[in-house]
């Protein structure tokens, strides 16, 4: 009997010893299998993701574990859109304007917005834009009525391929029930803003290959006259500089401009975090993740919010952009130049900010008689108009109390930078501002420098809010 028990004990020990390496092998195999599957998922990238999206509605949890690098999200999301009116042209346009609209309890401004876009564009500009309207409401009757109205009022734009009306079917939407209640928002508010994020994601996704640039608008917006000409002027002025989002309104997600190549990543980003926060907050995070730290906002604003009732519960929404101008075509040219000043600069409010069309300014410590602020052009040019504003609403005494505006020629180098050896005075500042018209008729030479000279010391600090220059056709060099 003892021999039998000893034999059994040996067998148990042998089984234990053989089981340990077997379990180790099994665990190692499963880990490698898991890594292989996970890496395969990442390597396949968007192809795998698109296949899943066509079967399952996207959710923030599924996007989270593959969001390792924004550059992985370069492909579009596989959504089968319904074309409700119009068809896209094969030719790529300069600008796509995207609108997402839902049924409102009070008021409807969509048709007015579309009309404003077309009315405020010239015939030549209309050739360069396409307007995409995403009807993001699943009320079939409402959608049918809206499409009928759009077709009746804008038939020629639909035929010309300048207007498209689409819808992403409800089956592609993630769950909108039981969402996270961040910021203590009520459930219906969370549902509204979460769906809105998805609405915009599907709109962006659709617009990816329609044009070179994309402008995000709301469906209750009024446009300034010839806004496209102003946009093109600003885009040209930023050539060679890095930007992700430029803003042409300070409200919500009105007037936000993107490169179309960034739309797939933005669409994925909105879907990934659709239930976390409102769209305009997510846009700020997206911009930061792509290494644009500062806001790039231009004045005057090109778009104005005109809706009185919000699409959320029909509550009152009287927000207005006080920087909006109906005629904003007169955006300055500000040719390439170097900026020099001997005024002590405060913190990072450096001289170049006064010459930028972005909403920022130069701020210096109290200037003395003879101090200067000079703009030296890369190439001599003819200037038709100069407009300079100093001071601000917040610090009304920080304006140039006594100063003169000069233009010069014959550049030479100094220890403090470049200057011109010969200047002509165009005028004196009044209440901190100056505007001179027809400069090219008053000055015989091509201008190489524009200089602000302090003609009397002041105790107050100096803000130069904006320096705006308009050029004429440059003369041959």
């Amino acid at each position: 009997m003892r021999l039998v028990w000893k034999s059994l004990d040996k067998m148990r020990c042998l089984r234990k010893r053989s089981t340990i390496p077997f379990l180790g092998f099994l665990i190692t195999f499963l880990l490698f299998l898991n890594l292989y599957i996970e890496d395969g998922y990442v390597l396949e990238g968007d192809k795998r993701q698109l296949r899943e999206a066509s079967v399952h509605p996207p959710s923030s949890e599924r996007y989270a574990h593959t969001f390792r690098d924004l550059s992985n999200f370069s492909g579009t999301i596989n959504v089968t859109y319904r074309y409700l009116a119009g068809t896209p042209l094969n030719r790529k346009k300069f600008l796509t304007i995207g609108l997402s609209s839902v049924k409102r309890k009070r008021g409807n401004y969509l048709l007015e917005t579309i009309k404003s876009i077309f009315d405020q564009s010239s015939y030549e500009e209309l050739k360069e834009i396409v307007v995409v309207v995403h009807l993001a409401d699943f009320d079939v009757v409402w959608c049918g009525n809206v499409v009928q109205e759009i077709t009746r009022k804008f038939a020629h734009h639909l035929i010309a391929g300048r207007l498209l009306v689409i819808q992403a079917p409800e089956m592609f939407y993630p769950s909108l029930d039981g969402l996270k209640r961040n910021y203590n928002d009520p459930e219906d508010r969370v549902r509204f803003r979460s769906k809105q994020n998805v609405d915009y994601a599907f709109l962006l996704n659709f617009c990816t290959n329609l044009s070179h640039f994309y402008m995000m608008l709301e469906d209750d917006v009024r446009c300034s006259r010839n806004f496209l000409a102003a946009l093109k002027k600003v885009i040209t002025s930023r050539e060679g500089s890095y930007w992700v989002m430029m803003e042409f309104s300070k409200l919500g997600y009105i007037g936000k401009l993107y490169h179309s190549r960034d739309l797939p990543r933005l669409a994925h980003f909105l879907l990934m975090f659709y239930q976390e926060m409102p769209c305009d907050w997510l846009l700020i995070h997206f911009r930061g993740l792509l290494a644009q730290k500062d806001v790039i906002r231009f004045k005057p604003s090109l778009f104005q919010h005109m809706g009185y009732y919000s699409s959320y519960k029909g509550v009152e929404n009287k927000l207005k952009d006080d920087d909006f101008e109906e005629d904003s075509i007169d955006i300055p040219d500000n040719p390439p130049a170097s900026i020099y000043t001997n005024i002590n600069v405060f913190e990072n409010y450096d001289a170049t900010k006064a010459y930028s069309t972005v909403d920022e300014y130069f701020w210096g410590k109290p200037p003395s008689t003879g101090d200067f602020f000079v703009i030296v052009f890369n190439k001599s040019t003819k200037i038709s108009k100069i407009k300079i504003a100093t001071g601000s609403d917040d610090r009304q005494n920080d304006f140039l109390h006594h100063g003169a505006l000069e233009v010069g020629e014959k550049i030479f180098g100094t220890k403090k930078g470049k200057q011109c050896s010969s200047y002509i005075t165009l005028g004196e500042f009044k209440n901190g501002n100056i505007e001179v018209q027809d400069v090219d008729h008053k000055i015989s030479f091509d201008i190489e420098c524009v200089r602000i000279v302090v003609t009397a010391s002041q105790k107050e600090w100096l803000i130069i809010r904006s320096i705006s220059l308009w050029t004429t056709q440059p003369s041959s060099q």
Side-chain angles (χ1 to χ4, degrees):
M1 195 60 147
R2 285 180 182 175
L3 290 173
V4 173
W5 281 113
K6 284 182 180 180
S7 299
L8 288 174
D9 284 340
K10 286 181 181 180
M11 290 177 65
R12 283 195 202 99
C13 291
L14 182 62
R15 193 179 295 119
K16 285 180 182 178
R17 285 194 295 269
S18 61
T19 300
I20 290 170
F22 174 74
L23 287 174
F25 171 77
L26 182 61
I27 290 169
T28 303
F29 172 76
L30 289 174
L31 283 172
F32 274 109
L33 182 64
N34 180 61
L35 287 171
Y36 173 80
I37 292 171
E38 186 178 276
D39 287 343
Y41 189 93
V42 174
L43 288 172
E44 277 196 72
D46 291 325
K47 291 181 182 179
R48 181 77 59 92
Q49 196 170 22
L50 298 184
R51 287 199 298 270
E52 290 188 359
S54 64
V55 179
H56 304 290
S59 68
S60 58
E61 289 80 7
R62 185 163 65 256
Y63 279 88
H65 76 281
T66 59
F67 198 75
R68 297 178 177 181
D69 184 344
L70 277 171
S71 62
N72 287 338
F73 295 96
S74 57
T76 55
I77 302 159
N78 190 18
V79 177
T80 305
Y81 295 87
R82 296 190 183 109
Y83 285 81
L84 304 182
T87 53
L89 298 178
N90 292 328
R91 184 174 69 86
K92 210 168 191 177
K93 299 290 188 78
F94 179 80
L95 179 71
T96 300
I97 300 171
L99 312 170
S100 183
S101 188
V102 295
K103 182 179 179 181
R104 294 171 181 258
K105 291 188 177 181
R106 304 172 71 182
N108 194 330
Y109 312 96
L110 175 61
L111 297 177
E112 292 179 61
T113 300
I114 298 172
K115 185 176 186 299
S116 179
I117 293 170
F118 292 136
D119 286 354
Q120 301 292 50
S121 303
S122 68
Y123 177 73
E124 291 301 317
E125 289 170 340
L126 288 174
K127 296 178 182 179
E128 300 187 74
I129 65 174
V130 56
V131 179
V132 179
V133 178
H134 178 208
L135 295 185
D137 200 292
F138 307 119
D139 184 325
V140 177
V141 175
W142 177 82
C143 286
N145 290 337
V146 171
V147 171
Q148 189 175 7
E149 283 293 300
I150 290 176
T151 304
R152 183 174 63 83
K153 292 188 176 183
F154 306 106
H156 59 298
H157 293 299
L158 289 166
I159 293 169
R162 290 191 290 266
L163 177 61
L164 300 172
V165 185
I166 63 164
Q167 185 179 60
E170 189 174 7
M171 63 176 287
F172 291 101
Y173 276 70
S175 173
L176 297 172
D177 296 320
L179 301 176
K180 294 168 64 176
R181 291 183 57 188
N182 296 340
Y183 319 111
N184 289 323
D185 281 348
E187 287 185 17
D188 59 343
R189 175 67 184 176
V190 173
R191 180 185 177 90
F192 171 82
R193 62 172 170 77
S194 297
K195 179 183 178 296
Q196 196 171 53
N197 285 331
V198 183
D199 295 341
Y200 275 106
F202 288 155
L203 173 61
L204 294 165
N205 182 66
F206 178 86
C207 295
T208 296
N209 297 312
L210 299 181
S211 62
H212 299 289
F213 297 95
Y214 174 85
M215 173 66 69
M216 181 181 285
L217 291 184
E218 294 183 9
D219 63 348
D220 54 354
V221 169
R222 188 169 86 252
C223 306
S224 67
R225 191 167 292 111
N226 296 111
F227 64 89
L228 181 60
L231 276 176
K232 292 181 77 171
K233 203 169 188 179
V234 168
I235 290 170
T236 301
S237 73
R238 303 290 296 191
E239 281 183 1
S241 65
Y242 179 76
W243 60 273
V244 177
M245 178 175 74
M246 292 198 288
E247 304 182 23
F248 295 86
S249 171
K250 63 183 180 183
L251 299 179
Y253 26 90
I254 296 173
K256 306 300 184 279
L257 182 73
Y258 296 89
H259 296 279
S260 293
R261 63 175 180 264
D262 287 331
L263 296 186
R265 286 187 288 184
L266 181 53
H268 282 289
F269 185 75
L270 291 177
L271 281 179
M272 180 174 168
F273 298 108
Y274 77 100
Q275 62 175 306
E276 303 299 332
M277 61 186 69
C279 179
D280 45 340
W281 294 8
L282 285 174
L283 297 185
I284 296 170
H285 288 290
F286 180 78
R287 164 174 59 77
L289 284 169
L290 293 187
Q292 181 191 317
K293 295 180 181 179
D294 299 323
V295 175
I296 303 176
R297 185 169 75 82
F298 292 85
K299 295 169 64 175
S301 297
L302 302 180
F303 307 97
Q304 178 65 284
H305 179 257
M306 68 177 175
Y308 186 78
Y309 298 108
S310 169
S311 52
Y312 172 62
K313 285 189 170 183
V315 298
E316 291 186 4
N317 183 2
K318 300 178 183 179
L319 284 175
K320 295 294 179 185
D321 189 336
D322 51 13
D323 292 327
F324 173 76
E325 291 183 11
E326 192 76 35
D327 293 297
S328 58
I329 187 61
D330 201 24
I331 288 180
D333 298 296
N334 285 18
S338 300
I339 317 295
Y340 304 97
T341 184
N342 63 344
I343 301 170
N344 290 326
V345 179
F346 175 64
E347 292 185 352
N348 62 338
Y349 295 88
D350 58 84
T352 58
K353 294 187 175 179
Y355 192 62
S356 169
T357 51
V358 180
D359 188 22
E360 50 191 11
Y361 54 84
F362 163 78
W363 197 7
K365 296 179 181 181
S368 303
T369 303
D371 283 352
F372 62 85
F373 188 106
V374 62
I375 300 162
V376 181
F377 299 127
N378 294 355
K379 293 181 179 180
S380 58
T381 186
K382 288 189 178 295
I383 296 176
S384 59
K385 185 172 76 170
I386 301 175
K387 183 178 180 180
I388 300 175
T390 68
S392 70
D393 293 336
D394 295 334
R395 298 183 178 274
Q396 297 182 3
N397 289 326
D398 289 1
F399 65 91
L400 182 57
H401 293 245
H402 303 282
L405 174 63
E406 302 174 339
V407 293
E409 61 176 342
K410 300 176 182 176
I411 296 174
F412 70 97
T414 70
K415 291 182 180 180
K416 295 184 179 180
K418 293 181 179 180
Q419 273 277 12
C420 280
S421 60
S422 174
Y423 284 96
I424 292 177
T425 301
L426 289 180
E428 302 287 329
F429 280 77
K430 294 182 179 179
N431 299 318
N433 302 315
I434 190 170
E435 181 173 342
V436 182
Q437 304 272 359
D438 301 320
V439 177
D440 50 332
H441 295 155
K442 298 172 182 176
I443 303 298
S444 59
F445 56 84
D446 286 359
I447 295 170
E448 295 182 85
C449 302
V450 172
R451 185 168 71 172
I452 300 168
V453 179
V454 179
T455 54
S457 301
Q458 63 186 60
K459 295 180 180 179
E460 294 79 12
W461 289 32
L462 174 62
I463 288 175
I464 302 179
R465 191 166 72 250
S466 62
I467 299 173
S468 303
L469 309 176
W470 288 262
T471 62
T472 57
Q473 189 68 29
S475 63
S476 59
Q477 299 298 310

